[in-house]
Amino acid sequence: MARVEIVDTGYETPCHLWTGPTSGDGRGGHYGRMSLDGQTVAVHKVSWTNENGFIPGKKQLDHKCRQRLCVREDHLELVTHRQNQKRRAAARAEAQSGHNGGPALEAAE
């Protein structure tokens, strides 16, 4: 928890955001990483496992808060790959449509 910052990101409860090393900017990036027994592991998986035990092989952890650096156990949920993909697509569509169904925000060039 020394590398966790508690931040209100607008989700139901504040996120516990990892401030240590990450998996970088590439595909599958921006997840917290740490060394555990000489192996590099995803911090959110360690957080989940510490509180809930083993993650079954056919399951993934979804960040309900949509914050990849969040390690708060109750912001994580075991889902199938298909569920995770659907939720990600829905979150992206919502972000593109704008807040509360309004027009999408455009960045100034």
Side-chain angles (χ1 to χ4, degrees):
M1 290 301 286
R3 290 188 172 182
V4 170
E5 182 179 352
I6 299 173
V7 178
D8 182 359
T9 61
Y11 188 63
E12 298 167 0
T13 53
C15 288
H16 294 182
L17 300 181
W18 178 252
T19 62
T22 70
S23 55
D25 295 332
R27 184 173 184 266
H30 302 288
Y31 286 96
R33 293 288 188 256
M34 66 182 284
S35 179
L36 184 65
D37 294 329
Q39 299 292 316
T40 300
V41 295
V43 181
H44 67 289
K45 291 181 179 182
V46 173
S47 176
W48 174 270
T49 302
N50 281 342
E51 294 297 320
N52 300 288
F54 179 73
I55 299 171
K58 296 282 185 176
K59 296 287 187 174
Q60 298 178 349
L61 289 176
D62 181 34
H63 288 86
K64 297 184 291 185
C65 59
R66 311 313 312 158
Q67 302 293 320
R68 288 183 173 187
L69 291 176
C70 185
V71 298
R72 186 171 172 158
E73 180 271 329
D74 63 336
H75 286 202
L76 303 170
E77 183 178 10
L78 276 179
V79 296
T80 64
H81 178 71
R82 185 178 191 96
Q83 288 171 309
N84 205 358
Q85 299 290 20
K86 285 182 177 181
R87 287 179 178 183
R88 180 173 53 213
R92 285 182 179 167
E94 182 179 328
Q96 289 177 351
S97 71
H99 184 68
N100 293 331
L105 299 175
E106 296 183 22
E109 293 185 22

